[in-house]
Amino acid sequence: MELTFADIQAAHDVVRRHLPPTPLWSYPLLDRALGTSVLVKHENTQPVGAFKVRGGLTLLDALPEADRARGTVTWSTGNHAQSMAYASHLYGARCTVVMPANASPDRAAAVEAWGGRVVLTGATLEEACRHAERLAADSGARLVSPGDTPELLAGVGTVYLEILQQRPEVDVIVVPVGSGTGAAGACLAAGALAPGCAVIGVQSAASPAAHDSWRAGELLARPNRSTVAGLATGRGYALPQRVMRSGLADFLLVTDDEIGAARRLLATAAHTLAEGAGAAGIAAVLSRPDLFAGRSVAVVCTGGNADRSELDTLVDRREQDEPLATAGISVGGQSVTFRTF
């Protein structure tokens, strides 16, 4: 199925029946640290703490009653899982999520709290995917791909519709990329509402499958070593890659350490608790001040579901001897210091 901006508009009609638009705010201290004007779209304020909820609602609304009765099976390390469990709860459908055996216990518990069934199996997300495929085939449930399901892409695309309706003059939107549904949705929204707005993707260099697939123009598998769960996908997905191929202006890689620094900056300069993927856009701006200086930039804090290990890294251990730690960055040749607490 090919997607258009009309699909995002239709998804927005569904999403706004359930959820208000999330805030789009600027922060002077953040702008000072980044050396440019930045707007933060706060998807961390969603009821499941992440933007993926928009896709789950769009999918469950579109399912025929017979399919809802059979339920869904999907695979995920976190936010997509919560999205499916939340939407299934609202629509009275069964939901099974297969997660790798080493998945965050906090994120598995969050899925179960919304009534979803969690199956922990396999060492990787790809092994979880194969198990989900078997469960769906045996049970007759609808198999839901996190990346190649059109309704999910249309749903998450509503984030960027909201940004561009409110601020159509923005120059750049920076989008964290795991499967690529968010970046693809941003490309469709920008193409319709703000053709002059560049959409730039960002992924962890430790899990570069989507980035490398986009650069090569073909679907590739890559080692999946990032500790940032929302960006940790080991292969490219066909549907979002097709959209990104024609709509993405650039695709950057950042390190997990750079994402950690961005999380600390969001916490101190923007009063925002972000999970790793939710800070990836800020990490991209931090890593490439030359690319973003003088431009109006929108970034999406895609999620705030920081697990216990991520909460621990909000404290910069290199500065733990100081009662209130600081960290420095260089922007445009000038040193900027911010507190990391």
Side-chain angles (χ1 to χ4, degrees), residues 87-336:
S88 297
H89 170 76
L90 289 187
Y91 281 87
R94 294 195 304 274
C95 172
T96 298
V97 180
V98 183
M99 305 175 99
N102 63 350
S104 162
D106 295 334
R107 293 178 181 178
V111 171
E112 291 174 334
W114 288 115
R117 174 191 173 217
V118 175
V119 176
L120 297 173
T121 188
T124 66
L125 193 59
E126 291 306 307
E127 290 179 12
C129 166
R130 289 192 289 272
H131 189 74
E133 291 170 342
R134 291 192 292 270
L135 287 179
D138 292 344
S139 67
R142 164 78 179 266
L143 181 68
V144 179
S145 166
D148 284 327
T149 301
E151 295 89 347
L152 297 182
L153 195 158
V156 300
T158 63
V159 174
Y160 306 96
L161 180 152
E162 289 180 8
I163 290 173
L164 292 170
Q165 282 181 336
Q166 186 173 346
R167 298 296 290 269
E169 75 282 3
V170 73
D171 296 318
V172 188
I173 299 176
V174 187
V175 187
V177 178
S179 65
T181 56
C187 290
L188 291 173
L193 297 177
C197 176
V199 178
I200 296 178
V202 56
Q203 189 171 45
S204 170
S207 293
H211 169 275
D212 291 0
S213 295
W214 182 78
R215 293 276 181 202
E218 60 180 313
L219 299 182
L220 300 174
R222 287 291 184 263
N224 189 14
R225 302 189 180 103
S226 176
T227 59
V228 179
L231 306 182
T233 51
R235 64 180 175 90
Y237 284 86
L239 177 59
Q241 285 287 333
R242 280 201 303 273
V243 179
M244 289 192 296
R245 204 160 290 142
S246 60
L248 208 62
D250 203 352
F251 203 148
L252 307 178
L253 292 175
V254 295
T255 68
D256 283 8
D257 285 345
E258 287 171 327
I259 292 171
R263 290 181 63 238
R264 291 188 286 274
L265 178 57
L266 277 169
T268 55
H271 331 296
T272 299
L273 174 63
E275 61 186 88
I282 295 295
V285 180
L286 274 172
S287 71
R288 289 291 306 276
D290 59 309
L291 183 61
F292 296 101
R295 305 170 82 181
S296 173
V297 181
V299 301
V300 180
C301 181
T302 52
N305 291 315
D307 61 20
R308 296 174 194 182
S309 63
E310 287 183 302
L311 290 174
D312 187 58
T313 61
L314 280 176
V315 176
D316 190 338
R317 297 302 180 185
R318 292 168 298 182
E319 304 286 349
Q320 62 184 346
D321 293 335
E322 297 184 18
L324 187 63
T326 61
I329 59 173
S330 177
V331 178
Q334 295 184 347
S335 177
V336 178

Side-chain angles (χ1 to χ4, degrees), residues 19-100:
L19 304 169
T22 52
L24 182 65
W25 288 330
S26 62
Y27 302 92
L29 287 177
L30 188 62
D31 289 352
R32 184 185 302 172
L34 296 175
T36 195
S37 174
V38 175
L39 294 162
V40 180
K41 177 71 165 169
H42 283 281
E43 290 296 294
N44 55 301
T45 63
Q46 295 286 13
V48 302
F51 78 121
K52 292 281 189 180
V53 67
R54 298 168 179 264
L57 290 170
T58 303
L59 174 64
L60 266 293
D61 188 80
L63 284 182
E65 286 294 337
D67 286 353
R68 288 184 199 159
R70 286 191 291 270
T72 62
V73 177
T74 191
W75 64 97
S76 172
T77 55
N79 287 336
H80 167 65
Q82 284 197 63
S83 164
M84 289 297 298
Y86 176 83
S88 297
H89 170 76
L90 289 187
Y91 281 87
R94 294 195 304 274
C95 172
T96 298
V97 180
V98 183
M99 305 175 99

